[in-house]
Amino acid sequence: MTSASATATKARATAPAVQDAPTAPTATSTAHDAGLLLLRVVLGLTVAAHGVQKLFGWFDGGGITGTGQFFTASGYPAGETMAVVAGLTETLGGLALAVGLLTPLAGAAVLGTMINAAAVHGPGAFFAMEYELLLAVAAAALTLSGPGRFAVDRLLPVPALRNHRLALGAQALALGVVLAAVTLLVRS
């Protein structure tokens, strides 16, 4: 025979835990989310600025024609097409990172673009590609960590984006690396 308190304790111990229950933000989590916001905005707008250089020639960029010539000289087929692809990837991926929209895919897009940029600008020389490396690692970190609470992803009705998981980030990074490798393989 068991007491009522022992039965109640046993029932609580065997009850399934509620997962993904919202918790009140702490000072630490708010600081963490603010740091992710700062990283997302600066990284995203930096990458987007490079994209509009390629697409529109803004900020002393080459536009599609000038960037296309660079891509052709770098061994990519259809240089102007590659300039449009790179420009759109940087612009849209950067803006999406900045606002925290589809963060795993946006981070993967930026990572893939930076892998290609590092391969073109300075294979084998760290100081020729440290900028691209820094942007790639920052994008990978955001892809793995998620955007934080101050992001559009938190407003979307997609649980995988609202409650970011490491596995989702790792899958997105794998996609970015594979697409970067395919793009590099088409270079002559």
Side-chain angles (χ1 to χ4, degrees):
M1 184 159 155
T2 60
S3 71
S5 64
T7 303
T9 302
K10 183 177 179 183
R12 280 193 302 262
T14 59
V18 176
Q19 294 185 9
D20 299 326
T23 59
T26 64
T28 302
S29 68
T30 301
H32 175 83
D33 292 327
L36 289 173
L37 173 65
L38 178 63
L39 179 59
R40 277 196 352 261
V41 168
V42 171
L43 173 64
L45 292 181
T46 299
V47 173
H50 282 277
V52 297
Q53 281 185 308
K54 291 172 179 64
L55 293 174
F56 309 116
W58 297 353
F59 310 115
D60 296 322
I64 292 173
T65 302
T67 305
Q69 291 169 351
F70 171 78
F71 274 105
T72 300
S74 298
Y76 288 95
E80 286 191 4
T81 301
M82 293 303 290
V84 170
V85 169
L88 286 173
T89 303
E90 289 178 351
T91 302
L92 298 177
L95 292 175
L97 267 182
V99 299
L101 175 64
L102 304 175
T103 304
L105 292 177
V110 171
L111 172 68
T113 302
M114 291 303 111
I115 289 171
N116 273 270
V120 169
H121 289 147
F126 174 78
F127 291 106
M129 63 177 191
E130 83 257 12
Y131 177 70
E132 291 87 358
L133 178 64
L134 180 62
L135 295 179
V137 170
L142 285 169
T143 302
L144 291 173
S145 70
R149 284 184 300 124
F150 309 131
V152 173
D153 282 350
R154 299 285 293 200
L155 304 174
L156 299 176
V158 181
L161 294 174
R162 278 197 320 262
N163 304 310
H164 187 81
R165 298 287 183 257
L166 178 62
L168 177 64
Q171 291 167 354
L173 287 182
L175 176 65
V177 169
V178 167
L179 292 176
V182 168
T183 305
L184 286 170
L185 287 174
V186 302
R187 281 180 66 204
S188 56

